[in-house]
Amino acid sequence: MYILPAKYNYVKKENENIFTYYFLINYEIPREGWKIHISSSLGDAQNIITIIANYCYANNISFKHVRDEALYLENISSEANSAESGKLITIYPQNEQHALKIMSDCTKLLSTMAGPNILSDYQFKNSKNVFFRYGLNYASKNRNPDTFNLISPKGEKQPDSVQPFPKLPKWIQLPQNWVLNVSDNDNILKYHPFAILKRNNGGKGR
């Protein structure tokens, strides 16, 4: 099990899924918005959890992490769900400006370490392990028809369907300068995929 020190102003929760949650008392998590994911190699996972937890503690931010090494190994295995793989830590910003600050700080803190790409997310600038997506932070408690819908300020609705590629609701724009342009990585333009032999989280078709 990944170990973190207790913090008096945080509530620690574990439930039937794979995560351990650390909720800051009186920290209001938006129902939907930008959320940050941190990936890691298996060997660096405990170190990265400790670094990010201490950062969140110091800056009063709620977060969660995969509960233990066995669960994270399963999460990044070749047979794992590609849309959920690699998400060792999830951090809950309160708004767009807050998200940018957290991602910039985490990129610096983790600059010597790398993790697998998180396919459902956008990669933050030139970071090797900081990713983000727009989506639900929690489902509605009353399980109404909109439980898993994103809802715009005008009442537009869109299911928060997590796919192995980043996708934004139509009313949300990708913030400027959060990602590198494709032209910043010309190597990708050399390849023209024409078929998928087999979907595999390990990235290999057989």
Side-chain angles (χ1 to χ4, degrees):
M1 180 171 290
Y2 295 127
I3 304 298
L4 285 179
K7 190 72 172 175
Y8 75 94
N9 56 340
Y10 277 77
V11 176
K12 178 180 176 181
K13 291 186 177 181
E14 293 181 0
N15 56 22
E16 69 279 359
N17 67 23
I18 71 171
F19 295 104
T20 300
Y21 297 79
Y22 293 82
F23 293 121
L24 178 68
I25 297 171
N26 297 325
Y27 183 93
E28 185 174 350
I29 297 175
R31 178 182 177 272
E32 62 184 72
W34 298 106
K35 51 185 170 182
I36 299 162
H37 293 118
I38 308 294
S39 70
S40 170
S41 67
L42 195 63
D44 285 333
Q46 176 66 74
N47 189 25
I48 284 180
I49 288 172
T50 301
I51 290 169
I52 297 302
N54 286 333
Y55 171 81
C56 289
Y57 286 160
N59 291 277
N60 297 319
I61 304 165
S62 293
F63 65 100
K64 69 181 180 183
H65 65 77
V66 175
R67 192 161 56 243
D68 59 44
E69 185 175 286
L71 288 170
Y72 189 55
L73 178 60
E74 182 179 343
N75 175 265
I76 60 176
S77 72
S78 62
E79 301 304 318
N81 180 348
S82 297
E84 298 295 344
S85 183
K87 299 173 184 178
L88 176 68
I89 303 170
T90 303
I91 305 173
Y92 299 103
Q94 293 190 307
N95 52 50
E96 185 174 307
Q97 184 178 7
H98 195 207
L100 177 59
K101 172 73 164 59
I102 294 169
M103 290 191 291
S104 298
D105 290 345
C106 289
T107 296
K108 293 175 184 176
L109 288 170
L110 304 177
S111 62
T112 62
M113 292 172 277
N117 286 341
I118 297 176
L119 300 183
S120 65
D121 291 21
Y122 295 94
Q123 185 171 0
F124 179 67
K125 295 187 177 181
N126 60 348
S127 171
K128 294 175 284 189
N129 40 28
V130 179
F131 301 82
F132 65 93
R133 68 179 292 265
Y134 188 96
L136 289 174
N137 288 321
Y138 57 87
S140 302
K141 294 179 181 179
N142 57 2
R143 298 292 177 179
N144 60 42
D146 292 326
T147 293
F148 298 106
N149 280 340
L150 299 167
I151 303 175
S152 79
K154 295 182 178 180
E156 300 168 278
K157 300 175 183 179
Q158 180 175 314
D160 185 25
S161 177
V162 184
Q163 302 293 331
F165 52 84
K167 182 180 180 181
L168 292 173
K170 58 185 178 181
W171 59 86
I172 296 294
Q173 298 295 317
L174 184 65
Q176 190 174 18
N177 299 325
W178 279 24
V179 298
L180 296 178
N181 295 324
V182 172
S183 59
D184 294 331
N185 184 6
D186 291 335
N187 287 333
I188 198 171
L189 302 178
K190 299 177 183 178
Y191 300 94
H192 301 280
F194 59 88
I196 297 174
L197 300 180
K198 178 184 176 182
R199 291 190 180 276
N200 183 299
N201 192 48
K204 297 178 181 179
R206 294 196 295 269

